[in-house]
Amino acid sequence: MTHTIEVERKRELPDDGSTLTPRLAELRYIASAPVTEVDTYYSRPDVDYMQTVECLRIRHRDNFAEITYKPASTPTTHADDHVISKVETNVILSEGEQARTAERLLTSIGMRELVRVEKTRTTYTHPETPGVAVSIDTINGVGTFIETEVNRPTSEGASGLIEHIEKQLGITGYPTVSLPYRDLVLRSRD
């Protein structure tokens, strides 16, 4: 189990993200192989996590699975510039197939499934900036987004670093997105 402060900003891309690939390479970012992740989001029966903007999810890809919890949003977790800063608690399961067991556990204790989000993600990291990831996410049925994320023990300086990276990439003109992918997928179904 790990505890970190996740500071991130998400922007909507006008295309599939391929126009950013040369710029990321020029800046010496290293791409991971694209992966498909399935995130299943849950809520309590007595508390609507859509209203509190809490996150309880099980993430599954290939032979990897984890349970993640992010606490309710407050005025201090969401900045005016759409930078979101929350403590993230992750429990990594020993194998990917345990995602199904975790789903059964959560429903057995009364948690209700909200939505499943399927995304294809390519993550870019830079050798000189540990704890920083730039991800291009294609969300089935919704669109393509770029997420600049800083994970560290404290949030100090993270917003400035996100701003710096976005300027380097030339994406500051793209619209910011403050809603989680969970909410975007639910809205797309309405």
Side-chain angles (χ1 to χ4, degrees):
M1 182 170 70
T2 59
H3 296 280
T4 60
I5 303 288
E6 176 186 76
V7 183
E8 66 182 37
R9 182 163 44 212
K10 183 169 39 228
R11 293 180 183 273
E12 187 170 3
L13 293 177
D15 57 24
D16 65 0
S18 60
T19 57
L20 284 174
T21 305
R23 181 65 181 148
L24 285 157
E26 180 183 316
L27 293 169
R28 298 186 312 121
Y29 279 84
I30 300 164
S32 66
V35 296
T36 298
E37 297 179 334
V38 177
D39 294 342
T40 306
Y41 290 87
Y42 293 86
S43 186
R44 291 176 22 191
D46 60 329
V47 176
D48 184 353
Y49 284 4
M50 296 294 293
Q51 295 296 317
T52 60
V53 195
E54 283 176 83
C55 171
L56 176 62
R57 78 168 176 238
I58 297 172
R59 173 168 286 164
H60 181 244
R61 69 175 174 268
D62 299 325
N63 198 30
F64 172 85
E66 73 180 345
I67 299 172
T68 298
Y69 175 75
K70 298 178 193 179
S73 290
T74 67
T76 61
T77 62
H78 285 67
D80 290 338
D81 58 2
H82 297 278
V83 173
I84 300 167
S85 177
K86 288 188 176 187
V87 173
E88 181 175 292
T89 304
N90 296 301
V91 177
I92 298 174
L93 304 175
S94 66
E95 59 186 52
E97 287 307 307
Q98 286 189 322
R100 314 258 181 286
T101 304
E103 288 171 354
R104 282 195 309 275
L105 171 70
L106 291 180
T107 57
S108 294
I109 62 171
M111 300 302 285
R112 60 183 180 84
E113 184 178 317
L114 292 172
V115 68
R116 285 184 191 257
V117 175
E118 187 172 322
K119 73 174 173 276
T120 302
R121 169 174 275 185
T122 303
T123 300
Y124 298 83
T125 56
H126 196 283
E128 296 173 10
T129 53
V132 173
V134 175
S135 298
I136 297 177
D137 296 329
T138 301
I139 310 301
N140 285 2
V142 177
T144 303
F145 304 85
I146 185 166
E147 185 176 278
T148 307
E149 182 177 297
V150 177
N151 287 287
R152 300 217 170 124
T154 71
S155 61
E156 187 174 325
S159 290
L161 182 55
I162 288 171
E163 189 72 31
H164 173 73
I165 292 167
E166 289 179 339
K167 283 180 182 174
Q168 284 185 317
L169 293 173
I171 62 171
T172 56
Y174 296 150
T176 57
V177 178
S178 59
L179 293 175
Y181 292 141
R182 166 196 76 184
D183 298 37
L184 295 174
V185 169
L186 285 169
R187 281 189 174 182
S188 73
R189 294 179 179 173
D190 293 338

